[in-house]
């Protein structure tokens, strides 16, 4: 190594020195995909200076008013959610409109899940996402702050 060269150490976050905050997001009128990308970044902690890809440094995110999400185009009728019972011929589907009527929380959860990596860490990060169809949530004790989402 040449003389006078200053070396810097790379900071690596650990579970001991991470700071997890609670945020609440109102999904009323927000576009589904744009909201999901920003929620995925908050769950991963990508906006933090101590972000480390292999450590869960993200925050807890509470989403309220999931039933009032907005989509563009003809997605309410044409976008389909597929599931399979595991038996032959057991595939079933619902449109986005039907899914919003029955289980609006799953629409946001699946959109965010699709934007996370496919590994154990992402499954752990997805557990920090709390989605509720209406305006109420049971996490008042955590004193969540409002998270601004660009529409």
């Amino acid at each position: 190594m040449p003389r006078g060269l200053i070396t810097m150490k790379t900071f690596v976050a650990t579970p001991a020195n991470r700071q997890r905050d609670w945020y609440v997001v109102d999904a009323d009128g927000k576009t589904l995909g744009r909201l999901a990308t920003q929620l995925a970044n908050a769950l991963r902690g990508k906006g933090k200076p101590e972000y480390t890809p292999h450590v869960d440094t993200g925050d807890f995110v509470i989403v309220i008013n999931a039933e009032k999400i907005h989509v563009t185009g003809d997605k309410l009728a044409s976008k389909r959610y597929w599931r399979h019972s595991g038996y032959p011929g057991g595939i079933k589907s619902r449109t986005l409109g039907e899914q919003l009527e029955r289980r609006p929380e799953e629409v946001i959860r699946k959109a965010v899940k699709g934007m996370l990596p496919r590994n154990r860490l992402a499954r752990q990060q997805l557990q920090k996402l709390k989605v509720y169809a209406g305006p109420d949530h049971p996490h008042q004790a955590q004193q969540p702050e409002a998270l601004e989402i660009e529409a």
Side-chain angles (χ1 to χ4, degrees), residues 13-71:
T14 62
N17 61 10
R18 67 180 168 207
Q19 171 66 33
R20 285 190 168 164
D21 299 321
W22 284 76
Y23 292 104
V24 63
V25 175
D26 189 2
D28 188 8
K30 300 282 194 299
T31 306
L32 177 61
R34 293 169 192 259
L35 174 69
T37 55
Q38 294 175 33
L39 293 177
N41 285 342
L43 290 172
R44 292 188 72 193
K46 292 199 74 170
K48 294 183 172 187
E50 62 268 7
Y51 169 71
T52 307
H54 66 279
V55 178
D56 186 7
T57 57
D59 298 318
F60 287 86
V61 179
I62 304 162
V63 181
I64 57 174
N65 291 324
E67 61 194 4
K68 298 179 183 174
I69 199 77
H70 175 71
V71 292

Side-chain angles (χ1 to χ4, degrees), residues 32 66-82 93-108:
L32 177 61
E67 61 194 4
K68 298 179 183 174
I69 199 77
H70 175 71
V71 292
T72 59
D74 192 35
K75 292 188 188 91
L76 282 176
S78 62
K79 183 173 174 60
R80 301 198 75 79
Y81 289 90
W82 298 89
S93 70
R94 285 187 188 147
T95 64
L96 175 59
E98 293 169 351
Q99 190 79 343
L100 280 174
E101 286 177 16
R102 294 174 187 246
R103 299 180 70 193
E105 304 91 2
E106 279 299 300
V107 172
I108 292 181

